[in-house]
């Protein structure tokens, strides 16, 4: 955010994640070109999630039918119970929530549309008030680059998607 950039240095991207629309497999979610194409859908949203400025502006104007819940887990429950039609969530976190909070049968009735609402990046922040932050940022970015060149980054991201770092699986990590 602009506010954070005033006070922090951002590392190179640690993650790049697509925010996609989850939906019931029995209610296919077709092609959409822009957000206004979704005006007929009941869209779940989680309080405090950013999504995009356009998303919230269209919701505010009543162009989008957005039903706000307190968190993503509640929205997935509403989606399974057909109280909403689609729900935007991070592809990785969405599948993680489904895997950890629903039976395999319940989770298997959902899928996501591959077209992202938006793509976000995650960064490590270094506070500008610390004298060593610029140097730490430089060292961190160098090591992150080495990590990626060695193929470790991709291996760990694949493990994350498979659920290797969640709940009871955490002890199985090498």
């Amino acid at each position: 955010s602009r506010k954070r950039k005033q006070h922090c240095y951002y590392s190179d991207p640690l993650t790049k994640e697509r925010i996609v629309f989850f939906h019931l497999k029995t209610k296919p979610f077709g092609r959409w070109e822009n957000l206004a194409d979704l005006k007929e859908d009941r869209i779940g949203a989680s309080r405090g999630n950013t999504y995009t400025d356009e998303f919230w502006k269209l919701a505010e104007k009543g162009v989008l039918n957005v039903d706000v819940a307190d968190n993503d887990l509640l929205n997935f429950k509403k989606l399974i119970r057909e109280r909403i039609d689609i729900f935007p969530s991070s592809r990785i976190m969405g599948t993680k929530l489904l895997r950890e909070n629903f039976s395999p049968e319940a989770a298997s009735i959902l899928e996501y549309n591959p077209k992202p609402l938006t793509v976000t990046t995650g960064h490590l922040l270094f506070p500008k008030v610390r004298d060593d932050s610029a140097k730490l940022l430089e060292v961190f970015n160098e090591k992150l680059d080495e990590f990626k060149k060695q193929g470790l980054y991709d291996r760990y991201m694949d493990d994350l998607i498979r659920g290797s770092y969640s709940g009871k699986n955490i002890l199985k990590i090498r």
Side-chain angles (χ1 to χ4, degrees), residues 126-142:
F126 294 87
K128 290 181 178 180
V129 295
R130 288 188 51 141
D131 293 336
D132 59 348
S133 281
K135 180 62 179 167
L136 290 171
L137 172 68
E138 180 182 334
V139 170
F140 180 84
N141 283 340
E142 286 174 11

